[in-house]
Amino acid sequence: MNVASITEMWHRLTGTQPDPSRWLVLVTALIALGAVASRGVWHVTRNAVTIAHEGGHGLVALLSGRRLDGIRLHSDTSGLTVSRGKPYGLGMVLTAAAGYTAPPLLGLAGAALLAAGHITALLWGATALLLVMLVMIRNAYGALTVVIACALFLAVSWLTKAQVQAAFGYLVVWFLLLGGARPVAELQRTRRRDGSRSSDPDQLAWLTHTPAALWMLLFYTVALCSLLGGGSWLLRA
């Protein structure tokens, strides 16, 4: 790759793209809402939220100095991230809290990029994160899921026109923003029905000696604030 090609790629990454039309922003929001609200569709699209959830655990584990052993994604849309280090302390707390907060916060970051016109930066950044996550996947289904997602982002980035890229970017960001709270609601129903006490908020309750309900409230608050803030940015764009 010569210097001219590198310069061109850098300009594409850091440059801005024209704002999409208002109808595109609204239509992608409605499609994302349908993907979250429909039970049958959600069973498939929830895999994307699981990727963000487990990726959040893994990224924060690394940033907090823990050793990441691997990530597994399962066909029932559940996942597992295993890290090694002290079983207590701030690093462990942040790692446990990162899962349910990662999808809406990623959506919020994506909305900031789209509002600034950086559609290419959004697509390439998501691709880079997926490639990094792929290295840490430890099961076949998880690897297949991440490869498909990565291939989709690459195909849209390189093979489609600007309007299609904008539609895809807005659809992904709306989905993360709208889908941020549903897994928390599902967890709340599961805890109430089964009495399970092995979830992230229960682990956080044990680590911090605080009620698990407090962490559930935090997850809901992050999801709602991200939706309100990110949604307003997208609609203004």
Side-chain angles (χ1 to χ4, degrees), residues 7 31 42 48-49 53 61 66 78 80 83 98 101 104 106 113 125 152 159 161 173 186-187 190 195 199 201 217:
T7 302
I31 295 174
W42 175 249
V49 176
H53 179 113
R66 299 179 62 80
S78 65
L80 177 66
S83 63
T101 56
L106 285 173
L113 286 173
L152 182 59
L159 303 178
K161 296 182 179 180
V173 170
E186 292 173 342
L187 173 62
T190 300
S199 64
L217 178 62

Side-chain angles (χ1 to χ4, degrees), residues 12 123-124 151-165:
R12 285 188 61 186
L123 298 178
W124 289 11
L152 182 59
F153 273 91
L154 281 174
V156 172
S157 300
W158 291 99
L159 303 178
T160 64
K161 296 182 179 180
Q163 191 78 351
V164 176
Q165 293 177 11

